[in-house]
């Protein structure tokens, strides 16, 4: 039995999947957080709270790495950790620093920091000659406006250090650019109390579909598990409305996506101790790297992978955090594709009606999670405002997405927000 230190987590899917994977692998974990109330507001999906499975729950200022490292040294002496991990983007760099400080397995801290800062990722990939959008990074408005003109409208405005699509916007002219920059400037501290970098990333708007490549890196080798497709809506925001695994691509596009992701991971030196989710645009000019995330995919993509291949990416995440070879053997699950679709609200108000009570009994449905009437609703501006999701599989081929879209259409017909 190994003992893992888990530093923070999301309250979303991975907060359940990761403790489950640790438990089912025969290991245990100690949970470290700066704000326990962040996790105690509700037990997800009516189940037992995942933190009930922790060996210890300890509070410390996880945002102050200088004070945290000696505190974790003392905990390590008393409790003995075999690995350290997190499922929260904002703490991935800290976890890499902690692992290096304690001499535990994990990717290099600089590699993780570069992947978690979108501007640093762009510079590393540019130096390596990897295909990506034209970009610029600036803080002052005059420089931002000039760079936007050089890249050309329409373009994409991004924060360099947020996730879930927060404040990522398409802008078509300088007035929209100014509004997007102001909105980003009005959000100086992220949801975990960390002060944000004040710079703005501008990127060329890319055409073509977007996919993600799910990989596991161990002992210098990167293993491709598969390619997931993505649907996006909510313009001018970029909200993920659904995914399907495996992506319905030609063999040439699939290979191009995989090779581009492998090149990006190598350039960033993410070839050991990482489960990664690399986003690629398949443009008319060839594949382009969108983002490299040095952690398992969110939005339950890991569950899509598990339903189709039998590979548990959460369990692989645990094993590589311990420096062990992950189990990536495929099994015949009976499914050829699995898809998830999200119910995205476009208006604000109070949820009055949303009935999916019959969905769990529909053939092929794997998961249903829907908000309860009475919930306060805001118009979605990122991946954080979903009203629920439906997941379904197909035993014959790539038909899972069509099944999910049909089920979501029925849900939308009965959705009432006032």
């Amino acid at each position: 039995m190994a003992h893992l230190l888990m530093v923070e987590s999301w309250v979303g899917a991975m907060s359940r999947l990761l403790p489950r994977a640790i438990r089912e692998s025969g290991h245990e974990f100690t949970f470290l957080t700066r704000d326990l109330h962040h996790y105690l507001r509700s037990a997800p999906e009516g189940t037992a709270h995942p933190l009930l499975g922790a060996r210890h729950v300890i509070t410390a200022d996880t945002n102050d790495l200088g004070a945290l490292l000696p505190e974790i040294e003392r905990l390590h002496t008393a409790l003995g950790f075999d690995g350290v991990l997190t499922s929260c983007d904002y703490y991935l760099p800290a976890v890499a620093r902690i692992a290096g400080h304690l001499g535990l397995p994990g990717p290099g801290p600089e590699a993780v920091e570069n992947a978690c800062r979108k501007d640093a990722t762009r510079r590393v990939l540019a130096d390596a000659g990897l295909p990506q959008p034209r970009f610029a990074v600036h803080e002052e408005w005059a420089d931002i406006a000039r760079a936007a003109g050089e890249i050309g409208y329409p373009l994409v405005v991004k924060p360099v250090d947020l996730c879930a699509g927060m404040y990522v916007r398409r802008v078509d002219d300088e007035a929209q650019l100014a509004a997007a920059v102001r909105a980003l400037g009005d959000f100086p501290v992220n949801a975990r109390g960390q002060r944000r970098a004040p710079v703005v990333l501008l990127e060329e708007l890319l055409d073509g579909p977007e996919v993600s490549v799910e990989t596991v890196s161990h002992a210098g080798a990167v293993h491709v598990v598969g390619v997931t497709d993505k649907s996006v809506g909510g313009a001018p925001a970029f909200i993920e409305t659904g995914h399907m695994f495996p992506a319905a691509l030609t063999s040439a596009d699939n290979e191009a996506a995989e090779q581009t992701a492998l090149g990006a991971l190598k350039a960033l030196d993410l070839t050991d101790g990482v489960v990664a989710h690399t986003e690629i645009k398949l443009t008319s000019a060839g594949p382009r790297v969108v983002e490299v995330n040095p952690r398992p995919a969110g939005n339950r993509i890991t569950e899509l992978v598990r339903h189709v291949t039998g590979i548990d990416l959460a369990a692989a995440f645990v094993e590589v955090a311990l420096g062990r070879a992950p189990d990536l053997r495929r099994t015949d699950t009976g499914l050829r594709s699995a898809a998830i679709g999200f119910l995205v609200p476009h208006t604000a108000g109070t949820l009055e009606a949303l009935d999916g009570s019959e969905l769990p009994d529909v053939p092929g449905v794997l998961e249903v999670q829907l908000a309860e009437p009475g919930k306060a609703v805001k118009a979605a501006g990122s991946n954080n405002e979903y009203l629920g999701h439906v997941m379904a599989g197909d035993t014959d081929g790539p038909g899972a997405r069509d099944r999910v879209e049909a089920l979501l259409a029925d849900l939308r017909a009965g959705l009432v927000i006032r």
Side-chain angles (χ1 to χ4, degrees), residues 10 94 154 209 221 252 303 351 370 415:
W10 290 119
E303 290 299 275
L351 179 62
L370 300 173
L415 174 65

Side-chain angles (χ1 to χ4, degrees), residues 5-11 31-36 38-39 60-65 68 72 84-99 107 109 112-113 116 161 163 189-195 294-295 317:
L5 175 64
M6 189 188 301
V7 181
E8 303 290 1
S9 180
W10 290 119
V11 183
F31 188 74
L32 187 68
T33 178
R34 66 188 288 269
D35 180 12
L36 187 57
H38 185 89
Y39 303 94
D61 190 351
T62 52
N63 286 349
D64 184 349
L65 190 60
L68 187 62
I72 288 180
V84 56
L85 78 178
T86 183
S87 61
C88 179
D89 293 63
Y90 299 145
Y91 294 96
L92 289 165
V95 160
R97 290 287 173 189
I98 291 166
V112 174
E113 289 164 4
C116 289
D161 50 7
C163 55
V189 178
N190 69 25
R192 298 306 182 102
Q194 299 168 336
R195 183 157 291 279
R295 43 80 177 158
F317 187 35

Side-chain angles (χ1 to χ4, degrees), residues 240-308:
E240 295 177 3
T241 59
H243 303 276
M244 186 172 75
F245 182 91
L249 299 175
T250 65
S251 58
D253 280 345
N254 198 83
E255 177 71 9
E258 290 183 2
Q259 292 303 315
T260 303
L262 290 173
L265 291 168
K266 182 178 179 181
L268 287 161
D269 198 24
L270 293 172
T271 58
D272 189 27
V274 178
V275 176
H277 169 72
T278 304
E279 297 172 346
I280 307 289
K281 270 274 196 178
L282 298 173
T283 79
S284 56
R288 298 289 185 269
V289 180
V290 177
E291 288 184 5
V292 180
N293 299 285
R295 43 80 177 158
N299 270 351
R300 302 192 76 78
I301 290 173
T302 57
E303 290 299 275
L304 301 182
V305 172
R306 185 178 64 84
H307 280 300
V308 175

Side-chain angles (χ1 to χ4, degrees), residues 46-410:
T47 64
H49 198 287
L51 289 186
L52 292 175
R55 175 174 163 184
H56 304 285
V57 176
I58 299 172
T59 56
D61 190 351
T62 52
N63 286 349
D64 184 349
L65 190 60
L68 187 62
L69 288 177
E71 176 66 17
I72 288 180
E73 275 189 59
R74 290 189 288 272
L75 291 173
H76 183 47
T77 300
L79 302 176
F81 302 122
D82 301 295
V84 56
L85 78 178
T86 183
S87 61
C88 179
D89 293 63
Y90 299 145
Y91 294 96
L92 289 165
V95 160
R97 290 287 173 189
I98 291 166
H101 187 74
L102 297 182
L104 297 175
E110 184 178 359
V112 174
E113 289 164 4
N114 284 338
C116 289
R117 278 280 303 238
K118 294 178 178 66
D119 52 340
T121 298
R122 287 278 169 251
R123 293 184 181 111
V124 170
L125 298 185
D127 289 344
L130 269 293
Q132 58 177 339
R134 290 177 293 127
F135 72 97
V137 184
H138 293 291
E139 181 175 351
E140 299 300 327
W141 167 249
D143 297 323
I144 293 170
R146 183 182 66 253
E150 292 170 353
I151 294 172
Y153 294 99
L155 51 77
V156 181
V157 177
K158 291 183 177 181
V160 299
D161 50 7
L162 291 175
C163 55
M166 293 183 67
Y167 292 94
V168 178
R169 296 291 184 268
R170 168 181 167 145
V171 298
D172 294 311
D173 53 39
E174 189 168 298
Q176 291 181 10
L177 174 65
V181 170
R182 283 196 302 270
L184 188 52
D186 289 339
F187 192 73
V189 178
N190 69 25
R192 298 306 182 102
Q194 299 168 336
R195 183 157 291 279
R196 294 190 44 258
V199 296
V200 175
L201 174 62
L202 305 178
E203 293 182 355
E204 170 191 8
L205 180 67
L206 300 174
D207 64 2
E210 186 171 330
V211 299
S212 61
V213 182
E214 322 309 335
T215 56
V216 180
S217 302
H218 174 68
V222 183
H223 305 272
V224 176
V225 175
V227 181
T228 311
D229 76 7
K230 177 190 295 188
S231 54
V232 178
F238 294 84
I239 301 171
E240 295 177 3
T241 59
H243 303 276
M244 186 172 75
F245 182 91
L249 299 175
T250 65
S251 58
D253 280 345
N254 198 83
E255 177 71 9
E258 290 183 2
Q259 292 303 315
T260 303
L262 290 173
L265 291 168
K266 182 178 179 181
L268 287 161
D269 198 24
L270 293 172
T271 58
D272 189 27
V274 178
V275 176
H277 169 72
T278 304
E279 297 172 346
I280 307 289
K281 270 274 196 178
L282 298 173
T283 79
S284 56
R288 298 289 185 269
V289 180
V290 177
E291 288 184 5
V292 180
N293 299 285
R295 43 80 177 158
N299 270 351
R300 302 192 76 78
I301 290 173
T302 57
E303 290 299 275
L304 301 182
V305 172
R306 185 178 64 84
H307 280 300
V308 175
T309 69
I311 295 172
D312 188 338
L313 288 174
F317 187 35
V318 171
E319 293 307 305
V320 297
L322 293 168
R324 302 177 182 181
D327 183 359
L328 301 179
R329 293 173 295 179
R330 294 173 181 262
T331 59
D332 186 358
T333 66
L335 291 182
R336 297 295 171 261
S337 66
I340 187 169
F342 300 98
L343 196 58
V344 180
H346 300 293
T347 58
T350 300
L351 179 62
E352 288 200 356
L354 177 58
D355 183 13
S357 58
E358 297 181 359
L359 285 179
D361 298 323
V362 174
V365 169
L366 302 170
E367 283 185 17
V368 178
Q369 180 181 340
L370 300 173
E372 296 288 338
K375 175 183 172 65
V377 178
K378 60 183 292 188
S382 70
N383 299 337
N384 293 324
E385 288 88 30
Y386 300 135
L387 292 179
H389 69 259
V390 178
M391 185 187 295
D394 182 16
T395 58
D396 297 323
R401 175 184 290 282
D402 289 341
R403 292 188 179 190
V404 165
E405 288 301 326
L407 295 170
L408 283 175
D410 290 341

